[in-house]
Amino acid sequence: MEIILVGGGKLIYHLAKKLISKGHFVTIINKDRKLADDLAREIKATVVFGDAANKKVLEDAGAYKADNLVSLTQKDHSNLFICKMAMDYFGVERTTALVNNPENEELFNILGITGIFNVTDLISSIIEQSVISEDVSNLTMIEEGKLSIFQVEVAPHSAAAGKEIKEIDLPISIVLGGIVRNGDISIPRGGSKIQAGDKIVIISLPEEQAEAIKVFGGEE
């Protein structure tokens, strides 16, 4: 399958590697030159530098032959526009979009986006179905235990408390999926500040779970 991924960061990195390992042909579009260069070095995928909202960039990425386009930027309006352009101009039959604001999901459905990834609802569901055990909760395992999703409460004395995410030293394979604070869920950004008492939803390889717990839970 020919798949175009739009966006950057660890989510795109891990998703691309997973899709490639399953035999799919992956093209990544990223408008940050450094991130595009990093991805080109680290992943066996075609990487196109540019703004996917530009028709020419989508054409250069091979949208005319793509089976699926997945837009995972942090801006809902960008994800919607990119998916619609792929559908209307290039005839891409399947498009998948990240919806950061749950209130926008209905609009995406009305405009015919075939796949919607509502990250807030997903994380809420996982948390509600989990069994809480002290400060660390194992929420679920994926691919027969090859990937874990778990939740850690930030300890006041931890290395993460009071810091922005971009200041926290974490392995590249650890992804922060959500911040739960006072019952509300937010999607982490590089400038998001971690506070003691926050519950952090983390996606990682099982062998790096201990490192994440150490950073956020303050355990040695």
Side-chain angles (χ1 to χ4, degrees):
M1 185 180 294
E2 298 272 356
I3 302 172
I4 296 176
L5 304 179
V6 180
K10 295 178 180 179
L11 178 57
I12 290 289
Y13 172 84
H14 289 295
L15 181 57
K17 288 192 67 175
K18 189 68 176 177
L19 291 171
I20 292 169
S21 73
K22 291 182 175 292
H24 299 295
F25 298 95
V26 176
T27 298
I28 301 171
I29 303 175
N30 192 283
K31 62 181 179 179
D32 183 295
R33 170 65 76 179
K34 184 178 184 305
L35 286 176
D37 289 344
D38 289 345
L39 287 168
R41 284 194 301 269
E42 296 172 4
I43 300 177
K44 293 179 180 179
T46 300
V47 180
V48 176
F49 166 65
D51 187 346
N54 184 313
K55 183 180 176 183
K56 182 64 167 60
V57 173
L58 279 180
E59 184 177 357
D60 291 343
Y64 55 86
K65 62 177 180 178
D67 299 297
N68 198 341
L69 179 142
V70 183
S71 189
L72 300 172
T73 78
Q74 301 301 324
K75 297 180 179 178
D76 286 1
H77 66 273
S78 294
N79 293 332
L80 178 60
F81 183 79
I82 291 165
C83 287
K84 283 294 291 178
M85 183 177 292
M87 294 164 60
D88 296 344
Y89 283 97
F90 298 98
V92 179
E93 294 186 0
R94 288 195 57 79
T95 56
T96 303
L98 174 65
V99 178
N100 298 280
N101 184 347
E103 295 179 0
N104 293 331
E105 184 171 350
E106 183 178 359
L107 176 61
F108 279 65
N109 279 317
I110 291 172
L111 293 178
I113 307 305
T114 52
I116 298 174
F117 179 47
N118 185 330
V119 69
T120 302
D121 284 353
L122 175 62
I123 295 172
S124 295
S125 177
I126 290 173
I127 291 172
E128 288 171 358
Q129 293 175 28
S130 67
V131 178
I132 306 299
S133 175
E134 297 182 350
D135 295 332
V136 180
S137 310
N138 286 305
L139 305 183
T140 189
M141 301 293 285
I142 298 175
E143 288 291 319
E144 298 179 349
K146 295 177 183 177
L147 193 66
S148 65
I149 301 177
F150 59 100
Q151 177 181 284
V152 179
E153 182 170 333
V154 179
H157 59 281
S158 70
K163 291 184 179 179
E164 294 183 355
I165 290 175
K166 62 187 177 184
E167 299 174 325
I168 302 172
D169 185 20
L170 287 171
I172 191 172
S173 56
I174 293 179
V175 179
L176 305 190
I179 301 173
V180 183
R181 181 179 298 159
N182 299 323
D184 295 323
I185 300 174
S186 63
I187 305 306
R189 307 285 190 271
S192 300
K193 195 167 187 177
I194 302 297
Q195 298 180 8
D198 287 349
K199 293 184 173 68
I200 311 298
V201 178
I202 299 171
I203 306 168
S204 80
L205 301 174
E207 60 266 26
E208 291 183 336
Q209 185 171 1
E211 178 65 20
I213 294 172
K214 178 181 177 181
V215 171
F216 292 98
E219 296 184 13
E220 295 298 334

